[in-house]
Amino acid sequence: MTYFLDTNIISYLLKGNATVLKKLEELVEEDNQFGIPSVAYYEIKRGLLASGATTKLTRFLNFVKQIGIVELKSSTLDLASQIYADLKNSGDMIEDDDIFIGATALESEAVLITNNEQHLGRIKDLKIEVWN
């Protein structure tokens, strides 16, 4: 199975959250595939740069080398546009960053590991796994 990591999960990993680390190790042992949506990469890197967290930034960049970044494609942007329209028309909007991350996972048929079920759970057909 393919899993993508949402921004909040990556943040927990960088902070050394034992529960999240254990769950990730279990999935790795099961030989699953992983990826980081490019928007989640951007959100983490901008925060680390802005706060001057150079040690965490180095750990993050090493982690990214192992897992890889899933880039936004034009087809992902088309899907994100439709998700935006659907959410706007239903009066259930979420932030653009969440739409892009969700669209990236949805298009790749990946399960998005997140702690943001409240927002990402609004995206139709998106498979999420909540790690608290």
Side-chain angles (χ1 to χ4, degrees), residues 22-32 34 67:
K22 182 179 180 195
K23 287 181 178 185
L24 183 61
E25 287 171 359
E26 289 170 0
L27 290 178
V28 168
E29 288 175 9
E30 295 170 2
D31 204 31
N32 292 292
F34 296 91
I67 296 217

Side-chain angles (χ1 to χ4, degrees), residues 45-94:
K45 188 168 182 181
R46 75 178 180 192
L48 295 173
L49 287 170
S51 66
T54 56
T55 302
K56 281 186 183 176
L57 179 59
T58 300
R59 284 199 342 252
F60 173 63
L61 294 175
N62 287 332
F63 181 65
V64 168
K65 285 180 188 174
Q66 295 172 5
I67 296 217
I69 298 173
V70 182
E71 302 292 340
L72 284 171
K73 302 179 284 190
S74 60
S75 57
T76 313
L77 297 173
D78 291 340
L79 179 57
S81 298
Q82 185 61 56
I83 291 168
Y84 176 92
D86 293 344
L87 293 172
K88 183 159 180 75
N89 289 334
S90 69
D92 224 4
M93 280 304 299
I94 60 176

Side-chain angles (χ1 to χ4, degrees), residues 2-35:
T2 302
Y3 291 90
F4 288 174
L5 306 178
D6 192 14
T7 308
N8 51 43
I9 297 302
I10 298 167
S11 181
Y12 292 146
L13 288 169
L14 292 172
K15 292 176 183 175
N17 181 293
T19 302
V20 172
L21 285 167
K22 182 179 180 195
K23 287 181 178 185
L24 183 61
E25 287 171 359
E26 289 170 0
L27 290 178
V28 168
E29 288 175 9
E30 295 170 2
D31 204 31
N32 292 292
Q33 302 297 313
F34 296 91

